[in-house]
Amino acid sequence: MKNEGTIDRAIRVIVGLAILSLAFIGLQSPWAYIGLIPLLTGLVGFCPLYKLVGINTCKDCQQ
């Protein structure tokens, strides 16, 4: 089941990669691995928080 639309997924992947890059350049902090969350949810197309709140940005997906 997916609950993220195409634009939402693209933004999540871009933001996730940007945050994750901080683990290797810039701050080099382990906290930058938090970028895996938006990256993975963007790649999979499902956000557990969206499910909990009842949000669905995917127009082509069935409920």
Side-chain angles (χ1 to χ4, degrees):
M1 177 172 33
K2 295 185 179 186
N3 62 1
E4 296 175 359
T6 307
I7 296 172
D8 190 7
R9 291 178 71 183
I11 291 170
R12 286 172 181 263
V13 169
I14 292 168
V15 168
L17 287 172
I19 294 171
L20 190 59
S21 72
L22 294 176
F24 304 103
I25 59 172
L27 298 176
Q28 297 181 350
S29 169
W31 282 101
Y33 290 108
I34 199 91
L36 286 173
I37 295 170
L39 177 63
L40 292 176
T41 59
L43 291 174
V44 174
F46 177 77
C47 177
L49 184 60
Y50 274 16
K51 176 76 172 177
L52 184 66
V53 179
I55 298 172
N56 187 351
T57 60
C58 183
K59 296 181 194 257
D60 298 331
C61 304
Q62 295 178 352
Q63 292 282 346

